[in-house]
Amino acid sequence: MLSLQSVTKRYGSLTALDGVSLDIAPGEFFGLLGPNGAGKSTLMSLVAGLRAPDAGSLVLDGRPLAAGGGSARAALGLVPQSIALYEDLSAEQNLRIFGELQGLSGADLRARIDEALAAVQLADRRRDPVKTFSGGMQRRLNLVAALLHRPKLLLCDEPTVGVDPQSRNAIFEYLERLNREGLTVIYSTHYMEEATRLCSRIGVIDHGKILALGTLDELLTQLPFEDEITFPATPETGALAAGLAGQGTVTTDAGQHRFRPAPGHRLSEFFALAEARGLPPRLFTHQRPTLEALFLHLTGRTLRE
């Protein structure tokens, strides 16, 4: 559906994208995961044709993408990071404008507006000015505005920023349904739980480079550990931590011990040691590898910057 080959974009001395190559299959729900400033929005703007790359090529559904125009862009829908609606106009008027810009008119446009408003539970607010809507309602309206012309590929650039949990879940369910019906989605986020829930494949990006690419299970195999146990750093647990030498690695940070067992080490052995020292189970948290752990392993910095 979409192919990027060695795409580079610079803003003065800053390299926002650095030789990115990426292929998105038809019907894929692809997640672009990274902190603020990683290059996610730049990549989206290049695919949307809002900016031109300094090097490399972009091809959508077999046709080259060009900045500022080109027939290939008719197959795109864009949900930008900042809400793009006319606040003094009603929800219906906004959708009419976006639909007409995409070449829709007459009964077809009216039917699609009705369908869109019903899909995001805004039919009863169709004649109300957008400025009277909550942030979540505006996000939902912005989403369907990008879908009126039934694009093949939907770009969602952090579409849930500042959204309440109910609206976020409504957006998720709507996108999941559209994806099941065949829509290809590229979804950028710095929220790990969003990528985990929504995306069939994930690219981790930072400093303009794709650092890792694959399904969630494939990505987590890149971590050098399979399990991790954390427990408070206290005088009582200090002896336990010291006694784990040779059974794995123990690090201490921010008042927490973090134990990663060596390959072949059985967790039952760890808990037997803890029980022998009279330490209650409630002190210990066991977790499998996570996207956050992977990102910290790859970059050394947190996702939520």
Side-chain angles (χ1 to χ4, degrees):
M1 178 60 68
L2 178 69
S3 179
L4 282 70
Q5 297 297 323
S6 303
V7 172
T8 296
K9 181 63 180 178
R10 300 182 183 89
Y11 302 105
S13 61
L14 173 66
T15 301
L17 288 179
D18 190 0
V20 170
S21 294
L22 183 65
D23 290 317
I24 307 296
E28 189 170 3
F29 203 128
F30 181 81
L32 196 61
L33 182 66
N36 294 332
K40 303 188 301 296
S41 292
T42 295
L43 189 149
M44 292 287 198
S45 68
L46 295 182
V47 176
L50 302 177
R51 294 183 176 90
D54 295 315
S57 63
L58 299 91
V59 177
L60 173 64
D61 201 23
R63 293 176 291 175
L65 281 168
S71 60
R73 291 183 64 196
L76 286 172
L78 172 64
V79 183
Q81 187 175 136
S82 298
I83 292 173
L85 297 169
Y86 298 99
E87 291 189 345
D88 291 326
L89 301 183
S90 69
E92 183 175 8
Q93 288 170 326
N94 267 275
L95 293 184
R96 182 168 297 281
I97 288 172
F98 285 107
E100 290 177 352
L101 287 171
Q102 293 289 355
L104 302 173
S105 62
D108 187 26
L109 176 56
R110 290 193 295 273
R112 294 194 190 190
I113 290 173
D114 291 343
E115 179 185 344
L117 291 172
V120 290
Q121 303 172 39
L122 290 174
D124 59 337
R125 300 291 301 272
R126 64 188 303 145
R127 293 183 175 84
D128 295 345
V130 168
K131 64 185 177 183
T132 67
F133 287 6
S134 68
M137 294 166 67
Q138 291 184 13
R139 288 282 180 191
R140 281 147 46 200
L141 183 63
N142 215 165
L143 172 61
V144 291
L147 290 163
L148 285 173
H149 62 298
R150 296 176 182 166
K152 294 182 178 180
L153 173 64
L154 181 66
L155 306 175
C156 293
D157 190 5
E158 300 189 23
T160 61
V161 173
V163 171
D164 61 273
Q166 292 81 6
S167 288
R168 180 181 289 112
N169 192 64
I171 289 172
F172 291 167
E173 290 180 349
Y174 187 49
L175 289 174
E176 288 169 329
R177 177 168 69 82
L178 292 173
N179 179 244
R180 289 193 298 270
E181 294 171 357
L183 179 68
T184 306
V185 182
I186 300 179
Y187 189 100
S188 79
T189 182
H190 57 269
Y191 296 125
M192 295 153 291
E193 63 272 18
E194 292 190 354
T196 299
R197 169 174 172 171
L198 296 171
C199 303
S200 55
R201 196 163 60 108
I202 299 167
V204 179
I205 186 171
D206 196 22
H207 299 301
K209 290 181 176 290
I210 300 290
L211 303 180
L213 185 66
T215 66
L216 179 60
D217 288 341
E218 289 169 345
L219 291 176
L220 295 184
T221 63
Q222 298 186 33
L223 282 166
F225 65 94
E226 295 183 356
D227 295 276
E228 184 175 79
I229 299 173
T230 58
F231 50 101
T234 66
E236 291 77 15
T237 61
L240 172 64
L244 293 171
Q247 300 184 45
T249 61
V250 180
T251 58
T252 304
D253 181 54
Q256 290 276 320
H257 293 305
R258 192 180 304 273
F259 173 59
R260 293 174 178 174
H265 178 80
R266 292 180 297 179
L267 293 181
S268 59
E269 297 175 12
F270 170 87
F271 287 107
L273 287 173
E275 185 177 354
R277 295 183 181 277
L279 299 172
R282 60 181 171 77
L283 290 179
F284 305 98
T285 300
H286 170 239
Q287 66 178 22
R288 304 290 293 173
T290 62
L291 275 177
E292 182 174 22
L294 173 67
F295 198 89
L296 291 171
H297 173 68
L298 292 172
T299 71
R301 65 194 186 107
T302 179
L303 278 165
R304 298 179 185 271
E305 292 182 348

